[in-house]
Amino acid sequence: MAGRDDEGRRVDVADGTDPTWAQQLLDHLRPSARDVRKVVAWLADAADADVSLQDDAGTLLAGTRTPLDEDLVADIAAGRIASAALQDGGHHRRLVRVELPRPASAGVLAVIRPAPFDRRTSDIVTHTAGVLELLLRARESAAAGHRLRRAASDLRLAILQLLMVEDTVSARRVAAGLWPGLLDTDTACVYVAESRPEDRDRLAEECLDATSEQALVVRCPAVDSHVIVVTPGEAAAAELRSLIDGRPDTFLGGSARQNLAQTATAYGQAVSALAVAHFRPDKKAVYAERTHPERLMDPAALRCWTAGLLRPLDTLPHHTRAELLATTRLGLEFTAVNAAKVLGVSRNTVRARMERVEGLLRTDLSDLTVRAAVHLALNTQAALVELPGDPGEAARSGFGELLAGPAVRTWARDLLGRLDTDTRDLRRTLRTWIAAGGNAERAAQLLGVHAQTVREHVRSAEPVLERQLLSGGSDLYEVVLAHLALGDLDQPALQGANPGHPDSPVHG
């Protein structure tokens, strides 16, 4: 057995030797070919040997495990000797120390062959050890970079989830360490960018670059094609909008500027605007660009009705009330599964919170007209700081009266009137489908057609109305309100809002 110091290895060859193996070895350093296992396999072929690479704990990193002298391996891994060569039972062995990227850590490259090691084979082993060190160091650097990016991504998601439940204090505290000043604002806009799922990671990185990390960029945990961006400043928002220009299969929806505590509301607005963006030539839309029914209602009357409907929740502790309201807003906007992913809780938690709200309001959230009314109330409650007037001074109005105003009825006629030109009577199908709770099978039975026909009719209505209907959420609820305003659907059974009013059921 012999030992020698191999410090200062270089990947080159002495004059007069065959350079073919060196070129092949150097090829493994190309970015597209960096693979420790392939290098070890190449060495086994080039040296006509069995090769293994293990760390100081004996874990096999690459190659084929072979029996080795544990004491000798320990000496090499500890740095007491750099390499060893010995002959044992007709086999010639060469063991070389390989520095690992972890602090004070080393592995052992073992090469075992039946023939003695000539100068060429010894050079190949020595230089391969050097290449392995480079690849292992590069792999660890890449892994560390990936871990850092993943940690930052997880942290941004955690901040968004805190904002979604109105915990702005904790959100600011978490953000302050890595992105100082990011949430030093009272208001922000939320944008949702959509691309093909396979392009989503690249889009997220480009959003980060475009906004110079002056915005909160999050890969949506619920929809694989969405990137959520909270933009406190207008400059970052402008950069984000310009990023979408000229990009195929990419769309952008933005919210109105909202109080930071109303991030969940802004997120719903952005998703609603994203649906409109799919029908726009520039593939962009902002929530405020579209007329919404609540903007056409008397603000004071709307505020009074909202306060009455949600009054049963006022007895809850503030944190619990905010949590239930935020969860229900998202639960009405998305499926329980997707709402749970956005909030970072289980779907059973989302359902339990919504059932609690349902019980407190004494209403049935499986009814689409009820969902539309509660959705209106929750969004109004979230924006109360922007609504003028004292609810105590407002005239006591029921839900039906809110929808009976001339502005709302004109809006509803204009919206649903777009469907009248279609000979398939899309309007009748849509009305029946809503009355059936959005269930195509039940609607088909009522209409005497196939369920697929119902789905095709509803899907055909989407581009005409510029609203997504089959996926539910704000777009669908606006269409429901339009039907209610025109009397095409029965008014929902709502408890608590202005008792004694004709809208409120009488209980004996």
Side-chain angles (χ1 to χ4, degrees):
M1 181 180 73
R4 66 181 181 85
D5 190 351
D6 281 336
E7 291 297 326
R9 291 193 208 89
R10 296 173 53 209
V11 184
D12 56 12
V13 293
D15 291 341
T17 60
D18 177 12
T20 303
W21 67 264
Q23 184 58 54
Q24 292 174 351
L25 182 57
L26 287 172
D27 284 344
H28 285 283
L29 290 174
R30 290 182 291 108
S32 60
R34 294 174 182 174
D35 188 323
V36 169
R37 289 170 298 181
K38 289 182 178 180
V39 172
V40 169
W42 172 85
L43 175 59
D45 183 65
D48 191 20
D50 293 327
V51 181
S52 66
L53 175 65
Q54 66 180 50
D55 63 15
D56 49 2
T59 302
L60 186 68
L61 303 179
T64 304
R65 184 175 294 281
T66 54
L68 300 173
D69 186 297
E70 293 183 1
D71 292 336
L72 181 59
V73 169
D75 286 341
I76 294 174
R80 288 185 284 273
I81 54 176
S83 64
L86 65 155
Q87 182 178 358
D88 178 20
H91 289 90
H92 297 266
R93 304 171 184 265
R94 181 74 186 271
L95 281 68
V96 182
R97 189 171 191 267
V98 175
E99 297 286 346
L100 298 181
R102 299 191 302 274
S105 177
V108 174
L109 176 67
V111 184
I112 303 174
R113 54 182 301 207
F117 284 83
D118 54 18
R119 180 180 177 183
R120 174 184 178 276
T121 307
S122 297
D123 285 343
I124 291 175
V125 172
T126 300
H127 292 305
T128 301
V131 167
L132 288 171
E133 287 182 354
L134 291 175
L135 293 181
L136 289 167
R137 193 175 300 123
R139 187 172 70 177
E140 179 61 25
S141 297
H146 175 73
R147 289 194 297 270
L148 181 60
R149 289 190 296 273
R150 179 60 184 269
S153 178
D154 290 346
L155 190 58
R156 286 191 289 266
L157 174 58
I159 294 169
L160 176 67
Q161 290 169 340
L162 289 169
L163 291 176
M164 287 288 191
V165 294
E166 302 182 20
D167 193 351
T168 56
V169 174
S170 296
R172 287 188 175 109
R173 187 180 297 123
V174 174
L178 289 179
W179 303 286
L182 176 62
L183 297 181
D184 290 348
T185 179
D186 293 327
T187 62
C189 293
V190 173
Y191 287 85
V192 176
E194 179 183 307
S195 66
R196 294 176 299 184
E198 60 269 25
D199 297 333
R200 199 262 295 266
D201 285 347
R202 181 165 57 87
L203 177 61
E205 292 300 323
E206 291 176 354
C207 288
L208 281 169
D209 292 339
T211 58
S212 302
E213 296 201 352
Q214 295 305 303
L216 183 66
V217 179
V218 179
R219 293 167 175 81
C220 179
V223 184
D224 291 340
S225 58
H226 286 185
V227 176
I228 304 169
V229 186
V230 181
T231 57
E234 182 55 35
E239 290 295 333
L240 189 65
R241 290 192 293 269
S242 65
L243 177 66
I244 303 301
D245 291 337
R247 298 174 63 97
D249 302 314
T250 306
F251 306 88
L252 182 70
S255 74
R257 183 162 289 274
Q258 296 281 357
N259 187 287
L260 199 61
Q262 309 308 327
T263 300
T265 298
Y267 172 54
Q269 292 179 351
V271 172
S272 179
L274 181 64
V276 177
H278 278 263
F279 308 114
R280 293 285 180 85
D282 62 355
K283 302 178 183 178
K284 292 179 285 189
V286 176
Y287 184 78
E289 292 177 358
R290 196 169 82 192
T291 300
H292 299 277
E294 64 269 23
R295 298 176 183 270
L296 304 175
M297 299 174 187
D298 177 78
L302 177 60
R303 182 174 180 175
C304 180
W305 171 80
T306 295
L309 181 66
L310 300 181
R311 186 171 291 118
L313 281 72
D314 293 345
T315 58
L316 300 173
H318 173 75
H319 177 74
T320 301
R321 183 177 185 272
E323 187 175 68
L324 290 179
L325 289 175
T327 302
T328 304
R329 275 201 300 272
L330 286 176
L332 291 175
E333 199 74 48
F334 309 102
T335 65
V337 173
N338 285 349
K341 290 178 180 179
V342 171
L343 291 171
V345 298
S346 72
R347 60 183 177 182
N348 289 335
T349 298
V350 171
R351 292 191 178 108
R353 291 175 183 174
M354 292 186 68
E355 287 173 0
R356 186 175 181 187
V357 170
E358 189 177 45
L360 287 168
L361 299 183
R362 292 191 300 158
T363 193
D364 179 11
L365 290 178
S366 65
D367 186 322
L368 275 180
T369 61
V370 172
R371 290 173 72 90
V374 174
H375 181 267
L376 173 65
L378 292 176
N379 283 344
T380 301
Q381 182 274 338
L384 279 181
V385 291
E386 301 175 6
L387 290 176
D390 182 351
E393 299 176 357
R396 290 193 171 274
S397 299
F399 183 57
E401 291 180 1
L402 287 175
L403 298 174
V408 177
R409 290 179 62 83
T410 299
W411 164 82
R413 278 195 298 269
D414 290 344
L415 177 64
L416 298 183
R418 303 178 194 175
L419 300 173
D420 291 341
T421 58
D422 196 297
T423 57
R424 293 172 293 177
D425 201 354
L426 299 183
R427 189 164 173 173
R428 175 172 175 258
T429 302
L430 183 57
R431 179 176 64 249
T432 307
W433 177 74
I434 292 173
N439 186 291
E441 284 74 17
R442 288 204 299 268
Q445 290 177 357
L446 293 171
L447 292 169
V449 298
H450 194 277
Q452 187 58 32
T453 301
V454 173
R455 295 188 188 95
E456 290 174 357
H457 283 196
V458 175
R459 191 174 291 112
S460 297
E462 290 183 328
V464 178
L465 299 176
E466 291 190 335
R467 285 159 174 82
Q468 289 185 326
L469 304 175
L470 289 170
S471 59
S474 296
D475 283 4
L476 174 58
Y477 300 141
E478 285 190 5
V479 174
V480 173
L481 292 179
H483 281 85
L484 290 169
L486 297 180
D488 291 348
L489 291 171
D490 293 335
Q491 292 292 320
L494 300 172
Q495 307 284 345
N498 298 329
H501 190 276
D503 281 351
S504 300
V506 177
H507 298 272

